Amino acid sequence: MADAPTDTDLTGITTVACIGAGVIGGGWAAHFLARGYRVRAWDPAPDAEAKLRRVVAGAWPALTELGLAEGASQDNLTVLPTLAGAVDGAGFVQESAPEDLDLKRTLLADIDAVTPPDVVIASSTSGFPMTDMATSAADPTRLVVGHPFNPPYLIPLVEVVGGEKSERWAVEHASAFYRHVGKSVITMDQELPGFIANRLQEALWREALHMVAEGEATVEQIDTAITDGPGLRWPVHGPCLTFHLAGGEGGMAHMLDHFGPSLEAPWTRLTAPELTTQLRDDMVDGCESEADGRSIAELVAERDRAVIAVQRAVAESRGRTDG
């Protein structure tokens, strides 16, 4: 077992290995490149390099607008033919393979076998606990979850949590590294299937599916209800602080005392509906209708511009408040 890295080791990390080059892995690669790192990537798919470079190129305009670190360049991306070659010289490893538990177990064990013991290996899993994924690794002590949100080059949140055999130093080092590269980090105190943010958005998603399945609301109505409603508040205050303000001068206490009984009202259905063919078709058709002819690329560009605008507006507002 290696000695725990120190905070000073963060500045010594110049290369990051990205294992898995899909949408999430590609987003991570773009983010690390924009922060001035060299990225060494590996993915077994025969067309992985072409897809990865397209993802990075597609993200680069947004990253340029946000501001590139000194020396940042797409030319700092190297795609290697072997896993061992990708992790060679890397100071941090980000695994972003598909959500298949057996695959994750095998891949993390393989990464562990070829990576120096003082390098932390983080998994981009969106739901598996590290305890379940690390079962085949010879040294699970430096394996942690580093769960991003799509696209990782744009959304700042990363949830970090170790497994039962993860050492605390690995969790703390991963959290520190993510902060160092500009991420907003939640270091979780314990494992939780789906982590925190996914569980919250899953509850909203299930209720949305119920409403579509029952014909109570359309896809577009549901999306508008969030984008033009509570979604505008959430970049500033999360749901808890939002309800705290809803209590007026009495805050959360008054809110709960006054509105607490409504929690027993049948407003939500938190069990998942059956994903019937009809429900699937309704969701697909609704999204196509809402897209109104815009391609995925056009929607991605539209989203990126809007998220940047929201982030800048929130930052400006906080600056005035802090001042």
Side-chain angles (χ1 to χ4, degrees):
M1 185 183 303
D3 293 333
T6 64
D7 287 344
T8 56
D9 292 328
L10 295 175
T11 57
I13 297 175
T14 60
T15 303
V16 178
C18 288
I19 307 304
V23 173
I24 299 299
W28 269 122
H31 177 76
F32 292 131
L33 289 167
R35 301 324 313 146
Y37 290 85
R38 293 191 294 270
V39 173
R40 297 171 67 84
W42 175 81
D43 188 299
D47 58 346
E49 180 169 1
K51 288 184 176 180
L52 174 58
R53 293 191 182 280
R54 284 198 297 270
V55 171
V56 172
W60 211 250
L63 289 166
T64 301
E65 187 171 349
L66 286 171
L68 300 174
E70 183 178 356
S73 172
Q74 296 181 61
D75 294 336
N76 290 332
L77 171 63
T78 305
V79 180
L80 283 302
T82 65
L83 176 59
V87 302
D88 184 29
F92 192 86
V93 178
Q94 187 73 43
E95 172 270 310
S96 304
E99 287 292 286
D100 179 303
L101 184 56
D102 289 337
L103 172 62
K104 292 277 194 184
R105 286 171 171 166
T106 300
L107 181 57
L108 287 171
D110 290 344
I111 297 172
D112 171 54
V114 295
T115 302
D118 60 338
V119 175
V120 171
I121 301 167
S123 174
S124 299
T125 179
S126 59
F128 294 134
M130 181 50 72
T131 297
D132 292 347
M133 294 190 294
T135 55
S136 299
D139 179 17
T141 62
R142 42 68 174 275
L143 301 182
V144 303
V145 166
H147 170 229
F149 276 77
N150 191 36
Y153 65 84
L154 192 61
I155 305 300
L157 182 64
V158 180
E159 295 173 312
V160 180
V161 62
E164 292 177 358
K165 295 184 178 180
S166 302
E167 294 284 351
R168 188 64 192 174
W169 70 261
V171 175
E172 292 175 352
H173 184 71
S175 296
F177 176 70
Y178 287 132
R179 292 190 182 97
H180 186 68
V181 298
K183 288 295 188 177
S184 173
V185 179
I186 295 175
T187 305
M188 296 176 59
D189 296 326
Q190 63 185 44
E191 290 185 291
L192 182 68
F195 316 112
I196 298 171
N198 266 355
R199 292 176 75 101
L200 292 171
Q201 69 176 3
E202 181 70 9
L204 182 64
W205 174 237
R206 290 185 179 189
E207 187 61 26
L209 291 177
H210 273 298
M211 286 190 281
V212 173
E214 297 297 323
E216 298 163 345
T218 67
V219 169
E220 186 170 6
Q221 287 171 337
I222 290 168
D223 280 354
T224 300
I226 296 301
T227 60
D228 292 3
L232 290 174
R233 300 183 300 203
W234 289 341
V236 185
H237 298 142
C240 297
L241 199 56
T242 294
F243 282 131
H244 176 64
L245 299 182
E249 292 183 358
M252 179 65 77
H254 177 71
M255 189 272 173
L256 290 174
D257 291 342
H258 188 69
F259 294 104
S262 68
L263 295 175
E264 299 180 4
W267 285 1
T268 62
R269 296 151 292 199
L270 294 183
T271 56
E274 179 184 1
L275 188 57
T276 63
T277 300
Q278 183 64 54
L279 175 55
R280 178 197 176 281
D281 291 345
D282 288 345
M283 294 301 299
V284 171
D285 293 343
C287 288
E288 290 294 333
S289 175
E290 190 174 354
D292 196 25
R294 289 168 294 176
S295 69
I296 293 296
E298 289 170 333
L299 290 171
V300 166
E302 177 183 87
R303 177 201 62 194
D304 289 359
R305 290 193 301 269
V307 171
I308 289 171
V310 169
Q311 289 177 328
R312 287 180 170 168
V314 171
E316 181 182 354
S317 175
R318 288 174 175 168
R320 286 199 299 266
T321 300
D322 294 342

